[in-house]
Amino acid sequence: MKIETNQNSLQLEPKASDSFTSTGFILAAIGSSVGLGNMWKFPYITGMYGGAAFFLIFILCLALVGLPILLAEMVIGRGGRGNAVSSFHNLSKTKWWGYFGFLSVLSAFAIMGFYAVVAGWTMNYAFTSLTGNLFENPDYTASFLSFAGGNMPIFWTIITLIITCWVVAKGVAGGIEKFNKVLIPGLAVILVILMIRALTLPGAGEGVEFFLMPDFSKLTAESALVALGHAFFSLSLGMGAMLTYGAYTSKKQSLGKAAAAVAGGDLLYAFVAGLIIFPTVFSYGIAPGQGPGLAFMALPAAFAAMPLGNLFGFLFFFLLSIAALTSTVSLVEVPNAYLMERFKWSRAKSATIVTLIIFAISIPASMSMGILSDNLLFGKTFFDLLDFVASNIFLPIGGLVVTLFTGYAWKRAGEEAGLSGFWYNAWMFCLKYIAPIMVIVIFLYSIGIIKF
Ligand code: TRP
């Protein structure tokens, strides 16, 4: 897309090959938001922080903070018709906004550095479930640790990156839209199959109860902050992903409805993932309190014991891989769109360069599970540092920039969003007051300035 600094030309629609259809946009945005966050992180944090009580807080955070920022990102993208940096420049004379937008580009590299590695793990698990190798050593914790610390993940990271780069290089209509249009409905089918399987296992009810029985005693200030942070990560906010996709939509699209569909879709996929994971592990008497290891350590044991476990294990990890890939595509599109425009590179060249940089970051990230596990920077492994810096520092700052820009600086946001009256006022209220305060609180909490 060209840089358009003339306000009149900003009204132009993008070229057909650079634009989404209206369903395509919604599916691509759902693809971005539904990822490892929903399938892998959401279930275990829900189990840890209070089951249904946590879930209710999460819904509240999605509605009051996530949804307003999601809509704001889409609106800035379509209003500015640029990337995470130039959209701000196109809409405002104050250069600062765009400089903050540059953080988005950095966040995308940081997140991709570890996300591509985890996506690679899921592919390896899909493959080895199918071949049965996954079930050879019944000590799943030990086999996960030795796998993650070895060289095999690098191979799968390369596969993840090649697929992602290929989709991005094929363009918006011909790559990103097509990919999501097939895979997002495909994901829904696999989810339903796995959910039926999980809910019909003997003793499944106990898992459902663990997931959904409200336990308000576990609900602390910390769980509320975890819910908020997760609402942010899960909707892919704070790093210009939804902004970049928003630039490819037509003026005819109702962004309010699209944002609501994306937030609803994200919630639904997370909910169903919980209905798969908990009944499955409970039915086989496996302790669910294993935190991040839930998917890679607890579930394989359940699949090993289940009739046709190879197949269900494969479907589960395949689901995770696909969910991850539709997210990596949107992560790569952020720096890709920026570099294409900034240096006038072709899409293929820009996607390749972005991919190579990410690859360079992902190697030490992957090795920090193994030989680099003792090399700590600020007390964290490189893998954890990427996650920490992106999720706890860059994303909240990025989210804050979006709320402040839309709430205070840019006067035409309501017009671009197609909102007026009650919904406009409600949106502005969230953007001006609720979201910035909440985001500042999570930020201060996660960098350790506020403690509970
Ligand atoms: N939303 C993704 C998930 O739930 C992760 C993510 C965070 C992301 N920020 C993003 C994906 C930006 C794409 C773009 O797994």
Side-chain angles (χ1 to χ4, degrees), residues 32-38 111 115 233-236 239 241 327 330-331:
S32 169
S33 77
V34 172
L36 297 169
N38 304 58
I111 296 182
Y115 203 89
F233 186 78
S234 186
L235 287 177
S236 306
M239 49 149 290
S327 298
S330 78
L331 277 157

Side-chain angles (χ1 to χ4, degrees), residues 54-68 228 231 438:
F54 177 84
F55 193 48
L56 291 179
I57 302 285
F58 178 65
I59 295 178
L60 218 65
C61 294
L62 273 185
L64 295 180
V65 182
L67 184 59
L228 185 59
M438 300 290 270

Side-chain angles (χ1 to χ4, degrees), residues 286-308:
I286 299 158
Q290 307 198 13
L294 187 61
F296 295 104
M297 299 174 196
L299 277 171
F303 291 127
M306 185 186 286
L308 291 180

Side-chain angles (χ1 to χ4, degrees), residues 370-383:
I371 49 171
L372 293 185
S373 63
D374 293 330
N375 290 51
L376 303 184
L377 279 164
F378 305 105
K380 292 186 180 337
T381 63
F382 186 62
F383 184 104

